[in-house]
């Protein structure tokens, strides 16, 4: 076949498969109208949906939806190349090999066995496939962009994750369309739990004014719970100070092991905190200045050809301090890095103090639980304080910036964790009589004697003054 003929055939094939937006307009004007007014107007619908004409003739014929990065990358090379930059990085070693105390603090939870530092977005589906922790289809709302657009349609809470992977229904990590509307290419949110959490935000909520450069990240970088009755996922979306209320008033976290689990040594169910990046960040110095997650993690950069673009490699901002930080800070990159390191070292020291105090609390709880004559009330007080210690410790330990996102709140949370753990140590010791029980709180009887004495003195004084005036 001559080259000319070949190209003519390809052209004919393409024009056959190409679809005119008008074909779709009669049934999808809500998509087509804004589409034709936006920058993608010239793109063929078939670029991302196959069988358009067949589907238009018979809507029962599925169109399919292409979400892979390479599709967008063909026209948006700079964003695509930078997005793929994180691809080669290795998985970090298991955290609990480096910090064995984690095995004890998380005992009974799957994280005690498999817990690594994160790596860049391109790797997330690979890492999800590799993890030994239980994998529910719901988890994939944060691991793959193959999920959101068919959630509750073809994929739901009860779907079998292994089958979805084996049948190649799930093949992509999160891709461009997780943050960009493909039709009218502006930033958007597709995570159902975030949409729901945003709707119930009170006027006073600290994240109320969050710009889109933060909201796109809050789709996943937040603390969450699976929600078995609703067959979905829920974001508490509150500061750690409000978590005790959430925990008391909500039951769903107890219903799946990812949220509530029994630590055998603590003798109680604990709350599993998951990466509260957005929540910790609220009300920090940078948050109050209006800096978004993307400002630091996805700074603007100038390409070799002089074009300015947003760098899409999700990584530590310390890998691009000039672009991300020196737009505001006047220090050198080295000085600023040292300042970040200083905060992180200080926060880590506080994490260690909290963990060691919790370790000691567990020692005492174990003894108390194995003592037949234990004072149950006192033991329960100890457990309750241990529960709180765990919450305030893990809020910072599971957050990924080692306190940098909000140093002041990280210090406060860890100080509270240590105080709760110290109380648990004392109460567990008291419960088996190794320490005297504290005095009972003063009784509520009205202290008549001091009141009467006080009255007598006052009356005496008044009488005395009146007599002298005379
Ligand atoms: C005659 C009406 C009609 C026309 C014309 C039509 N569609 Fe549809 N389309 C539908 C209906 C109805 C659904 C919902 C089907 C369902 O939910 O099972 C749908 C669903 C879709 C979906 C969602 C698929 C999914 O799996 O979620 C896409 C994408 C789509 N259409 C694209 C197109 C494109 C592109 C065109 C033009 C080439 C087009 N449609 C023309 C009726 C139409
Ligand atoms: C650059 C890729 C891309 C192009 C081009 C594109 N779509 Fe889509 N479309 C998607 C993706 C991805 C989804 C999945 C839902 C989402 O991301 O909002 C989707 C979903 C849809 C849906 C179902 C959900 C909804 O939003 O109502 C319809 C209908 C649809 N597209 C119609 C069209 C039509 C008509 C055209 C051409 C005028 C078109 N699309 C062009 C990527 C594209
Ligand atoms: C066939 C080429 C092509 C494909 C494929 C394509 N785009 Fe575009 N896109 C364009 C053009 C052309 C523009 C308008 C010019 C510009 O801003 O670069 C544009 C504009 C945009 C913009 C707005 C740019 C701005 O400066 O505000 C975003 C965001 C975007 N596209 C995202 C996407 C995403 C996400 C996908 C994949 C779902 C995609 N595009 C697929 C060609 C394409
Ligand atoms: C759909 C879910 C999702 C969205 C949206 C999302 N992330 Fe992530 N992010 C993840 C997951 C999952 C990982 C861990 C991947 C791994 O370790 O395999 C991760 C990892 C990261 C990392 C660690 C990279 C490294 O190399 O250590 C950074 C930084 C990050 N994300 C920042 C952001 C920012 C900033 C945004 C918003 C602009 C964002 N993410 C949006 C899910 C998401
Ligand atoms: C985690 C969210 C997220 C993902 C995933 C993502 N983007 Fe972006 N994208 C952003 C943000 C944030 C901006 C900056 C928007 C702004 O400055 O207003 C941006 C900007 C853009 C722009 C506008 C031009 C520029 O560089 O500022 C284009 C085009 C674009 N992205 C394409 C893509 C493509 C292609 C992909 C997939 C390879 C992708 N994006 C994936 C968040 C994301
Ligand atoms: C003022 C700049 C700044 C802002 C704003 C910011 N971060 Fe960070 N982020 C950092 C720094 C600095 C680190 C620590 C990096 C390190 O230790 O190498 C970090 C670490 C992280 C990490 C862990 C990265 C790793 O390599 O392990 C994630 C994930 C993350 N941030 C997500 C977010 C999210 C989501 C938001 C918004 C809610 C956000 N960040 C807002 C500067 C920022
Ligand atoms: C929009 C401007 C802006 C950007 C962008 C910005 N900062 Fe800041 N940052 C400030 C201001 C203002 C302060 C408060 C004054 C001060 O402490 O220098 C501050 C405070 C700090 C502090 C002290 C925080 C504390 O808790 O004591 C550190 C460390 C810091 N920034 C590091 C960074 C790093 C690292 C980046 C980039 C990843 C960054 N900043 C990006 C404006 C910014």
């Amino acid at each position: 076949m001559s080259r000319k003929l070949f190209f003519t055939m390809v052209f004919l094939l393409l024009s056959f498969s190409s679809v005119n937006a008008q074909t779709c307009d009669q049934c999808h004007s809500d998509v087509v109208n804004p589409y034709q007014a936006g920058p993608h107007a010239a793109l063929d619908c078939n670029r991302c949906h196959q069988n358009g004409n067949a589907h238009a003739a018979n809507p029962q014929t599925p169109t399919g939806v292409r979400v892979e990065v390479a599709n967008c990358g063909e026209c948006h090379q700079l964003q695509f190349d930078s997005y793929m930059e994180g691809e080669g990085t290795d998985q970090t070693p298991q955290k609990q090999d480096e910090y064995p105390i984690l095995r004890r603090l998380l005992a009974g939870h799957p994280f005690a066995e498999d817990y690594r530092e994160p790596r860049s977005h391109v790797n997330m589906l690979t890492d999800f496939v590799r993890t030994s922790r239980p994998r529910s289809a719901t988890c994939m709302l944060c691991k793959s962009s193959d999920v959101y657009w068919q959630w509750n349609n073809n994929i739901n809470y009860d779907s079998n994750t292994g089958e979805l992977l084996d049948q190649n229904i799930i093949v992509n990590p999160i891709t461009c369309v997780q943050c960009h509307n493909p039709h009218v290419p502006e930033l958007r949110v597709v995570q159902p739990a975030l949409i729901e959490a945003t709707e119930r935000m009170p006027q006073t909520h600290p994240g109320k004014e969050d710009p889109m450069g933060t909201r796109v990240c809050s789709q996943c970088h937040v603390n969450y719970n699976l929600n078995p009755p609703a067959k979905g996922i829920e974001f508490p979306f509150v500061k750690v100070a409000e978590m005790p209320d959430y925990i008391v008033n909500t039951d769903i976290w107890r219903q799946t092991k990812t949220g509530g689990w029994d630590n055998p040594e603590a003798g109680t169910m604990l709350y599993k905190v998951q990466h509260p990046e957005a929540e910790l960040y609220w009300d920090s110095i940078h948050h109050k200045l209006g800096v978004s997650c993307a400002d630091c993690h996805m700074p603007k950069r100038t390409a070799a050809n002089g074009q300015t673009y947003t760098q899409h490699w999700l990584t530590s901002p310390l890998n691009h301090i000039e672009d991300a930080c020196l737009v505001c800070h006047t220090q050198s990159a080295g000085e600023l890095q040292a300042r970040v390191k200083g905060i992180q070292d200080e926060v880590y020291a506080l994490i260690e103090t909290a963990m060691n105090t919790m370790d000691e609390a567990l020692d005492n709880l174990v003894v108390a639980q194995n003592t037949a004559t234990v004072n149950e009330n006192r033991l329960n007080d100890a457990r309750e304080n241990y529960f709180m210690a765990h919450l305030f410790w893990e809020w910072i330990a599971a957050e990924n910036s080692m306190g940098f996102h909000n140093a002041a709140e990280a210090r406060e949370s860890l100080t509270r964790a240590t105080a709760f753990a110290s109380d648990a140590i004392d109460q567990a010791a008291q419960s088996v009589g190794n320490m005297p029980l504290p005095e009972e709180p003063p009784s509520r009887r009205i202290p008549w004697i001091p009141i009467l004495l006080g009255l007598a003195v006052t009356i005496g004084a008044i009488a005395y003054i009146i007599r002298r005036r005379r």
Side-chain angles (χ1 to χ4, degrees):
M1 181 170 24
S2 81
R3 283 186 95 191
K4 205 173 164 197
L5 183 62
F6 175 77
F7 281 116
T8 315
M9 280 181 62
V10 169
F11 177 76
L12 276 174
L13 261 173
L14 277 176
S15 35
F16 261 118
S17 64
S18 119
V19 293
N20 188 329
Q22 249 55 61
T23 322
C24 322
D25 192 37
Q26 45 170 315
C27 303
H28 297 299
S29 56
D30 54 330
V31 172
V32 176
N33 291 343
Y35 187 88
Q36 286 186 318
H40 276 173
L43 262 69
D44 193 316
C45 309
N46 254 9
R47 171 108 206 175
C48 307
H49 305 294
Q50 304 86 47
N51 308 323
N53 286 328
H55 162 81
N58 175 9
Q60 296 304 314
T61 313
T63 51
V65 174
R66 287 180 65 191
V67 301
E68 72 272 23
V69 281
N71 185 29
C72 316
E74 270 179 48
C75 303
H76 300 291
Q77 190 76 43
L78 291 168
Q79 290 80 8
F80 171 77
D81 286 347
S82 62
Y83 192 76
M84 299 307 285
E85 254 176 79
E87 202 182 10
T89 49
D90 291 331
Q91 270 190 313
T92 62
Q94 293 285 356
K95 275 199 204 188
Q96 64 289 1
D97 290 343
E98 199 177 341
Y99 309 108
I101 193 173
L102 288 174
R103 276 192 214 283
R104 185 177 201 196
L105 301 184
L106 296 174
H109 194 280
F111 264 99
E113 302 308 322
D114 189 357
Y115 191 3
R116 296 174 196 269
E117 294 290 350
R119 47 179 190 152
S120 208
H121 286 175
V122 233
N123 308 297
M124 66 173 67
L125 190 60
T126 319
D127 292 348
F128 176 74
V129 170
R130 281 183 193 165
T131 184
S132 66
R133 299 193 303 268
R135 298 173 312 183
S136 135
T138 319
C139 309
M140 290 191 290
L141 277 167
C142 285
K143 308 289 179 191
S144 166
S145 291
D146 293 313
V147 183
Y148 73 88
W149 61 270
Q150 43 188 340
W151 181 246
N152 280 340
N153 222 347
N154 302 322
I155 304 179
N156 62 41
Y157 190 86
D158 298 318
S159 297
N160 181 319
T161 312
E163 276 172 20
L164 293 171
L165 290 164
D166 290 346
Q167 294 166 7
N168 289 335
I169 295 170
I170 304 294
V171 288
N172 294 289
I174 73 159
T175 64
C176 320
V177 290
Q178 191 84 25
C179 305
H180 294 285
N181 185 327
H183 300 135
V184 189
E186 51 198 27
L187 292 178
R188 57 111 181 245
V189 160
V190 294
Q191 168 67 259
L194 180 61
I195 295 167
E196 187 267 319
T198 313
E199 277 164 7
R200 68 176 144 79
M201 268 186 186
Q203 269 312 323
T204 52
H205 194 280
K208 195 84 189 168
E209 304 297 327
D210 278 352
M212 283 310 287
T214 292
R215 285 184 198 244
V216 288
C217 316
S218 311
Q219 298 187 89
C220 308
H221 289 275
V222 291
N223 178 45
Y224 68 86
N225 292 119
L226 295 189
N227 185 340
K231 297 208 177 281
I233 174 175
E234 177 175 294
F235 295 171
F237 221 50
V238 293
K239 281 282 185 192
V240 63
E242 289 166 53
M243 281 304 291
D245 277 350
Y246 174 87
I247 286 166
V248 169
N249 297 328
T250 319
D251 206 35
I252 55 164
W253 64 273
R254 298 171 192 276
Q255 299 175 23
T256 57
K257 261 196 133 188
T258 47
W261 93 101
D262 290 310
N263 180 310
E265 291 189 314
T268 178
M269 182 175 262
L270 300 177
Y271 183 89
K272 180 76 186 76
V273 179
Q274 316 267 4
H275 42 70
E277 272 90 68
E279 296 94 324
L280 182 65
Y281 184 55
W282 292 328
D283 290 343
S284 65
I285 293 176
H286 291 106
H287 184 255
K288 286 185 184 144
L289 289 169
V291 183
S292 73
C293 314
D295 289 334
C296 286
H297 284 275
M298 303 180 68
K300 305 281 181 252
R301 197 199 255 177
T302 308
N305 67 2
Q307 199 183 325
T308 304
Y309 70 104
T310 302
Q311 82 104 33
H312 278 64
W313 176 26
L314 272 316
T315 180
S316 161
L318 302 183
N319 290 329
H320 43 244
I321 292 189
E322 279 83 2
D323 296 332
C325 322
L326 303 192
V327 288
C328 294
H329 285 274
T330 51
Q331 296 108 314
S332 71
E335 282 165 350
L336 196 59
Q337 180 146 10
R339 222 170 138 195
V340 174
K341 183 89 179 29
I343 291 174
Q344 292 181 325
D345 285 348
E346 188 204 332
V347 168
Y348 185 68
L350 291 172
I351 288 189
E352 234 175 4
T353 308
M355 291 199 297
N356 291 337
T357 318
M358 288 162 70
D359 195 35
E360 216 180 301
L362 285 179
D363 289 343
N364 282 9
L365 282 166
V366 169
V367 171
Q369 266 140 204
N370 291 326
T371 304
T373 56
V374 67
N375 176 329
E376 282 292 342
N377 288 339
R378 217 62 199 139
L379 174 57
N380 277 337
D381 291 344
R383 286 181 178 138
E384 274 171 29
N385 277 305
Y386 186 83
F387 180 101
M388 296 293 271
H390 182 97
L391 171 69
F392 283 89
W393 159 71
E394 202 179 29
W395 196 262
I396 307 304
E399 204 275 344
N400 276 300
S401 71
M402 191 52 82
F404 171 80
H405 288 147
N406 192 342
E409 194 176 304
R411 288 185 200 107
E412 191 189 316
S413 187
L414 291 166
T415 308
R416 291 187 74 178
T418 302
F420 279 123
S422 300
D423 285 352
I425 292 176
D426 291 350
Q427 289 158 338
Q430 288 155 5
S431 74
V432 290
N434 285 346
M435 255 170 95
L437 287 169
E439 301 251 321
E440 287 301 316
S443 76
R444 281 170 183 263
R445 273 183 303 150
I446 300 168
W448 285 116
I449 292 174
I451 288 178
L452 288 177
L453 271 175
L455 261 176
V457 169
T458 319
I459 291 169
I462 292 169
Y464 175 76
I465 291 167
I466 293 172
R467 276 184 62 181
R468 282 201 49 173
R469 288 227 172 137
R470 277 188 185 150

